[in-house]
Amino acid sequence: MGSIGSKRQEVKQRIAAAAVTAGRDAKSITLLAVSKTFPADAVREAFAAGQREFGENYVQEALAKIDALADLRPRIEWHLIGPLQSNKTRAVAAAFDWVHSVDRLKIAERLAGQRPPELPPLQLCLQVNVSGEASKSGVAPAELPALAQAVAALPRERIVLRGLMAIPEPAADVEAQRAPHRALRELLEALNAGGLALDTLSMGMSADLEAAVAEGATIVRVGTAIFGTR
Ligand SMILES: *Cc1c(COP(=O)(O)O)cnc(C)c1O
């Protein structure tokens, strides 16, 4: 078991080891601590251990936690990684620093229109369905270029398109885990070859962060390995 601080240290070491193997600088990989279902006190404990970036899935739950931890602003950074419905965009635009789960232009337009002008621009990733199942959220790879161009054209003082996010199907071995992460990296490279300047690949979770780092992840989203099982 161990404390949140020591489990976080273990995850940092996994990232560092994976970076060495990949010939990458571990500093180019941000650990996003996914605190969904855990109370504000657990977030506070991780913050005390040095963690600054937190990921949440459920808007209502996140808003309550963000409010309870308002004293940690502006050092704490909040990322929405779960599905976002259009009736929640106003609250999200006011409370979060990043949204990883944008998969429709309408959501990005609303976030741009509703981002309070006194705040820095909201940082966005487009969620891509790299596993190809109809039930999963995320834009289909074939529809990604048009969506990315349209989102990148929205006012940059309100939202900035930073990159791509994926939640691949679980796979047992590292080689099988790498394939969807590689696909996401290649989609990002293709968008950049087409004139965009995206720098973020949000991919990798507790079970597959090594595979994600090997394929170029710049943000790994880790819940269970830091906070325990949900
Ligand atoms: C819950 C969740 C994570 C973290 O998953 P763990 O397996 O607990 O590390 C990462 N990304 C998303 C989108 C999630 O919903």
Side-chain angles (χ1 to χ4, degrees), residues 1-75:
M1 292 303 289
S3 69
I4 287 172
S6 65
K7 285 188 286 188
R8 172 178 176 272
Q9 245 359 86
E10 285 166 23
V11 172
K12 298 281 270 188
Q13 278 159 16
R14 281 175 65 190
I15 294 169
V20 167
T21 304
R24 299 183 56 200
D25 183 350
K27 287 202 220 51
S28 67
I29 302 152
T30 297
L31 170 59
L32 183 66
V34 177
S35 45
K36 66 178 177 215
T37 78
F38 288 93
D41 283 350
V43 173
R44 204 174 277 284
E45 188 179 336
F47 185 92
Q51 182 64 35
R52 293 294 176 266
E53 299 85 3
F54 292 88
E56 288 282 338
N57 281 62
Y58 313 108
V59 174
Q60 286 314 121
E61 179 196 335
L63 293 174
K65 248 179 262 185
I66 292 170
D67 204 39
L69 297 166
D71 58 301
L72 303 182
R73 289 275 200 191
R75 290 171 298 159

Side-chain angles (χ1 to χ4, degrees), residues 34 36 57 81-82 165 167 204-207 221-225 228 230:
V34 177
K36 66 178 177 215
N57 281 62
I81 61 174
M165 179 272 236
I167 313 172
M205 317 201 296
S206 294
R221 310 178 307 264
V222 178
T224 310
R230 292 180 290 271

Side-chain angles (χ1 to χ4, degrees), residues 130 164 178-192 201 203 212-217:
V130 287
L164 305 179
R178 280 181 70 154
H181 295 126
R182 183 179 312 128
L184 195 71
R185 171 171 52 78
E186 288 171 355
L187 289 168
L188 183 110
E189 289 168 353
L191 293 175
N192 284 344
L201 279 169
M203 58 188 197
V213 168
E215 293 296 345

